[in-house]
Amino acid sequence: MTQDPYEILGVSRDASADEVKKAYRKLARQLHPDVNPDPETQERFKDVSRAYEVLSDPGKRQAYDRGGDAFSQGFGGAGQGFSFTDIMDAFFGGGAAGGGATRGPRSRARRGQDALIRLDATLAEAAFGVTREIKVDTALTCEACEGQGTAPGTQPTTCETCHGQGEVAVVQRSFLGEIRTLRPCAACRGYGSIIPDPCRECSGDGRVRTRRTLTVKIPAGVDHGTRVQLTGQGEVGPGGGPAGDLYVEIHVEPHKTFTRHGNDLHTTISLPMTAAALGTQLTLPLLEADVASGDSETATTFELEVRPGTQSGTEQVIRGFGVPSLRGGRGDLVVSISVNTPTRLDPRQEDLLRELAAIRGEETPDGQVEAPHKSMFGRLRDAFQG
Ligand SMILES: [Zn+2]
Ligand SMILES: [Zn+2]
């Protein structure tokens, strides 16, 4: 087993630092424990790593060339506790002379954030869609500097600390030799350049808060909480970066007669007891009445037939008169009938009702106990217990 680091790495005595590095890189790829965990390979990897530590350090290499013991400074466990990534970082991310590509300075331009704005809409506007003007307060590109952040007529200057790289190498000594890690340059915050004379309008940020009016088309069928996305209308990014998106969140105001359940509309109409018993036809205002203009051909009412003998709590479903779905189609309109019992009877009305009761044999009726599932409570309970 050779102790000659040149032999271990397979390089000549006059190999350049670059050649040493290349040789080690090649061997490290083959032998690293993450790649090849068998014990014999790991032993070789330790040797290779130690050899590289000597040959990559000019002082140690000189000492060895002068006849010193290559591995005099004992270090156990070489090659362990170091991940393949660390080693590859040392070379490829390292930015060492002749090494792999660097990441370079980062751009001042970044994508802006998304913005959220709330829009109150009536039930009809949400159901049938509406075009509204909204005021939004977002960052827009600074016109004075066109997003560059520099005062007019000036330019960013190259950072002297990192020479425009945006990164500085931090060198750590280890058994593998020098490990060079790149850190963002603190002087320029990684941009590689400094703005010596920032734009006065935006203080160098490249954007300014601006209030503007946007026209928003709310599609038919949106519901409470629906977010309408307006691409590129959010916050403009710093440094002239692209804008995020604007989300318009719909808040639907309660309606005085309709409530919405999914795409169905529910409404309750009350009828006198006599009409419920005798049957009737009534004109039901539709949600369309809220938005239809006078010359519109859209029907705003529905002629509802109430059959004779309609009970309180009866629901009539009018197909296709609910809320349009975002995916097409329309929900239903569910009309609940509430039957009103008269509360004040004049003497003649009372006489008539007593006569009616007598004819129907209902002067002293026993109440009928209903099966639970027919009662409102029963239906609710069924609904919740599924
Ligand atoms: Zn500016
Ligand atoms: Zn810098």
Side-chain angles (χ1 to χ4, degrees), residues 184-334:
C185 171
C188 62
R189 291 192 290 151
Y191 296 128
S193 63
I194 294 199
I195 294 179
D197 194 2
C199 167
R200 276 181 203 122
E201 295 296 320
C202 63
S203 308
D205 191 38
R207 52 190 186 157
V208 282
R209 292 214 75 79
T210 311
R211 171 167 267 238
R212 71 205 147 109
T213 304
L214 272 182
T215 304
V216 186
K217 197 171 183 311
I218 305 299
V222 296
D223 202 349
H224 190 78
T226 303
R227 288 181 174 184
V228 178
Q229 183 181 10
L230 301 180
T231 306
Q233 297 285 4
E235 307 279 351
V236 159
D245 299 332
L246 174 67
Y247 289 90
V248 179
E249 187 175 272
I250 310 295
H251 282 236
V252 181
E253 300 154 1
H255 193 274
K256 62 184 191 298
T257 55
F258 293 105
T259 54
R260 177 172 172 173
H261 300 274
N263 288 325
D264 292 339
L265 287 174
H266 286 240
T267 190
T268 302
I269 54 172
S270 59
L271 281 178
M273 179 182 74
T274 47
L278 299 171
T280 187
Q281 187 178 55
L282 52 91
T283 302
L284 183 72
L286 295 170
L287 185 60
E288 277 88 338
D290 288 10
V291 286
S293 54
D295 57 341
S296 169
E297 289 174 20
T298 310
T300 57
T301 57
F302 184 87
E303 295 302 312
L304 182 70
E305 281 289 332
V306 178
R307 285 183 298 279
T310 293
Q311 304 295 321
S312 198
T314 300
E315 287 184 345
Q316 281 185 240
V317 178
I318 308 171
R319 298 264 170 236
F321 280 85
V323 173
S325 164
L326 281 168
R327 294 177 209 85
R330 245 186 114 163
D332 301 326
L333 172 58
V334 181

Side-chain angles (χ1 to χ4, degrees), residues 159-168 185-194:
C159 172
E160 287 173 11
T161 305
C162 64
H163 308 289
Q165 295 302 303
E167 298 168 308
V168 286
C185 171
C188 62
R189 291 192 290 151
Y191 296 128
S193 63
I194 294 199

